[in-house]
Amino acid sequence: MESVSRKAFRVVRKTRVSEEITEQVRDLITSGRLKIGDRLPAERELAKILQVGRSTVREAIRAMESLGILESRPGEGTFLVSHPLHSQPDPITANAFKSWENQRKLFEVRMVIEPDIAALAARRASFEQILKMRDILREQEESVKQGETGIKADSVFHDLLAEAAGNDILLRIMESLMDLLRETREASLHTGNRPVSSLKQHKAILRAIEARDPLAAERRMREHIVGMEQLVFSTRALGGEEGGGSPEPSTISELGSSA
């Protein structure tokens, strides 16, 4: 894995130094010098570069971890796992998207966008980006073997795909979309054999990208989303509306025909 250069950071001058550290990380992300999967310098080294105390660095890192931007891995270091959004979503708006019908609509959006992202990644992914995807799938596999859902590695894999597509606007759209779908995705990964199935589908997508086969990458991603959608809505994994009424469509094609 790549490590962002110490030269990318500058000495801290502001009074609220932990906030400036966070701002510097955001600036590095925006400029493309720090990418998903990259490792930050060690805490001791960062404190020396920034000329601040280690406790201040630790405070900034914890703040970014709480936002889901960074992840500290014992024995490995601190990694960027998500791009920060410019503003936090309004809680009322975010809660509205948790409704059962809106979750269906979000899956439709995902089906429209993500297969094409996979196709673009098959055309544009660099060797380094492919290596990062391999690494994160190994991490997901290890998590699944330990009986966990692998949700963190699952999310990072989709972020890396969007990054490999080479379009920062698509990347931001996908980050927002996956955040709004977080509850359904987590719920589905607690269902039956879903973690193993998800990992298998991710590997199939990556094989298509490695083969530089856009059509296969698009097809594998479409299969992945349909499988997830069918599982979520057939088992009501989100804990949505109680029964009654007509049977609800379980696939996006059925959604279209019932509109």
Side-chain angles (χ1 to χ4, degrees), residues 37-53:
D38 285 350
R39 182 177 61 240
L40 270 65
E43 183 183 292
R44 184 188 299 274
E45 185 179 1
L46 263 179
K48 184 177 180 180
I49 296 167
L50 301 170
Q51 297 184 15
V52 298

Side-chain angles (χ1 to χ4, degrees), residues 5-161:
S5 170
R6 56 177 292 161
K7 295 180 180 179
F9 295 87
R10 61 185 182 274
V11 176
V12 171
R13 301 295 183 192
K14 289 187 176 181
T15 302
R16 302 181 70 177
V17 289
S18 64
E19 290 187 8
E20 187 180 343
I21 295 172
T22 302
E23 288 177 14
Q24 287 196 39
V25 171
R26 288 176 182 270
D27 289 344
L28 291 171
I29 294 168
T30 302
S31 67
R33 298 169 72 185
L34 181 61
K35 299 181 174 64
I36 290 174
D38 285 350
R39 182 177 61 240
L40 270 65
E43 183 183 292
R44 184 188 299 274
E45 185 179 1
L46 263 179
K48 184 177 180 180
I49 296 167
L50 301 170
Q51 297 184 15
V52 298
R54 291 182 64 181
S55 61
T56 303
V57 172
R58 196 175 301 120
E59 179 186 348
I61 289 174
R62 285 177 177 170
M64 287 183 278
E65 285 180 324
S66 69
L67 294 172
I69 298 170
L70 299 179
E71 178 183 349
S72 294
R73 303 172 189 169
E76 296 183 52
T78 301
F79 296 83
L80 179 70
V81 294
S82 176
H83 284 243
L85 299 177
H86 287 305
S87 59
Q88 296 300 311
D90 174 69
I92 297 176
T93 302
N95 190 60
F97 275 104
K98 293 180 181 180
S99 73
W100 193 257
E101 188 56 35
N102 278 334
Q103 288 289 304
R104 292 183 178 280
K105 292 175 182 178
L106 289 170
F107 263 94
E108 275 196 303
V109 174
R110 189 176 177 188
M111 182 62 87
V112 168
I113 294 174
E114 207 164 4
D116 282 343
I117 285 177
L120 285 172
R123 296 188 181 99
R124 299 175 178 175
S126 67
F127 180 66
E128 290 74 17
Q129 288 171 326
I130 289 174
L131 287 180
K132 288 180 181 179
M133 284 186 268
R134 290 176 185 172
D135 286 342
I136 203 63
L137 289 191
R138 279 194 287 268
E139 185 175 318
Q140 184 181 0
E141 184 169 21
E142 185 60 32
S143 176
V144 171
K145 283 180 179 178
Q146 294 175 6
E148 301 170 356
T149 64
I151 182 64
K152 287 185 178 180
D154 183 300
S155 298
V156 173
F157 177 72
H158 285 275
D159 286 341
L160 289 172
L161 274 175

Side-chain angles (χ1 to χ4, degrees), residues 213-224:
D213 188 338
L215 291 178
E218 179 182 349
R219 183 168 59 252
R220 297 307 180 199
M221 179 59 77
R222 195 173 298 278
E223 292 169 354
H224 177 52

Side-chain angles (χ1 to χ4, degrees), residues 107 110 114 118 133 137 140-141 144 154 157-158 161 185 188-189 193-210 216-231:
F107 263 94
R110 189 176 177 188
E114 207 164 4
M133 284 186 268
L137 289 191
Q140 184 181 0
E141 184 169 21
V144 171
D154 183 300
F157 177 72
H158 285 275
L161 274 175
R185 295 179 67 243
S188 71
L189 286 170
N193 203 38
R194 183 61 202 175
V196 174
S197 177
S198 179
L199 175 62
K200 182 178 179 180
Q201 291 165 351
H202 284 172
K203 287 182 175 181
I205 293 166
L206 181 55
R207 283 195 299 271
I209 291 170
E210 291 172 331
E218 179 182 349
R219 183 168 59 252
R220 297 307 180 199
M221 179 59 77
R222 195 173 298 278
E223 292 169 354
H224 177 52
I225 298 170
V226 167
M228 177 75 78
E229 182 204 19
Q230 289 177 330
L231 178 65

